[in-house]
Amino acid sequence: MAELKVVFWSGSGNTESMADFVVKGAGDAKAIPMEDITPADLADDKVFALGCPAMGDEELEETIVEPFVAELEKSVAGKTIGLFGSYGWGDGEWMRNWVERMQKAGAEVVDGEGVICADAPDDEAEQALAALGEKLAKALG
């Protein structure tokens, strides 16, 4: 069975912590900083997770994540993706936009939404992230 890739970018460590809970829920998974992987590395993966916190005016981080996602959009049709990230303000608009963007590109986003939390993951977020990992592992087969 293939190993689930949980790819993330984290500015303060909160999204990295979230990635660890997705990995824990999935079992056979690996958290990979976005700086250490390319969209081409995900080309043959039918299932994976992506994490990014809200930045600026509720947007994806613009120097690493936005270019990565823009390139990845070209190859996500038919794939199952889990999205997650933390925020410190706003109401999660960046995640809703990201989910919609991936769906328009043809991806199936797990549960039709991303897992978000304010700042560091609390118990509720930890459970939701572990559940996301379990769902992705099942989709992987």
Side-chain angles (χ1 to χ4, degrees):
M1 181 165 95
E3 182 179 59
L4 175 70
K5 292 180 180 106
V6 180
V7 180
F8 69 92
W9 183 88
S10 186
S12 67
N14 291 334
T15 303
E16 181 175 10
S17 178
M18 294 177 81
D20 292 339
F21 287 106
V22 175
V23 166
K24 189 180 289 187
D28 191 15
K30 181 178 182 181
I32 305 169
M34 202 168 281
E35 303 93 282
D36 296 343
I37 193 169
T38 69
D41 294 329
L42 295 173
D44 294 330
D45 292 40
K46 298 291 184 199
V47 180
F48 52 87
L50 299 171
C52 177
M55 300 295 291
D57 189 23
E58 286 213 67
E59 302 167 338
L60 295 176
E61 189 279 331
E62 63 185 14
T63 61
I64 295 169
V65 180
E66 179 55 42
F68 188 96
V69 170
E71 183 64 27
L72 190 63
E73 268 180 297
K74 301 171 188 172
S75 64
V76 296
K79 298 186 180 194
T80 301
I81 301 173
L83 299 176
F84 62 93
S86 64
Y87 64 98
W89 61 91
D91 67 355
E93 179 182 5
W94 105 100
M95 183 58 71
R96 292 190 300 276
N97 292 340
W98 195 12
V99 167
E100 182 179 338
R101 182 176 175 182
M102 292 293 97
Q103 289 171 332
K104 283 183 178 179
E108 177 186 338
V109 177
V110 174
D111 294 333
E113 63 184 14
V115 176
I116 62 174
C117 68
D119 302 315
D122 59 12
D123 290 343
E124 183 179 335
E126 290 173 10
Q127 291 173 6
L129 292 159
L132 175 63
E134 288 175 27
K135 290 174 185 176
L136 289 167
K138 285 181 185 172
L140 191 59

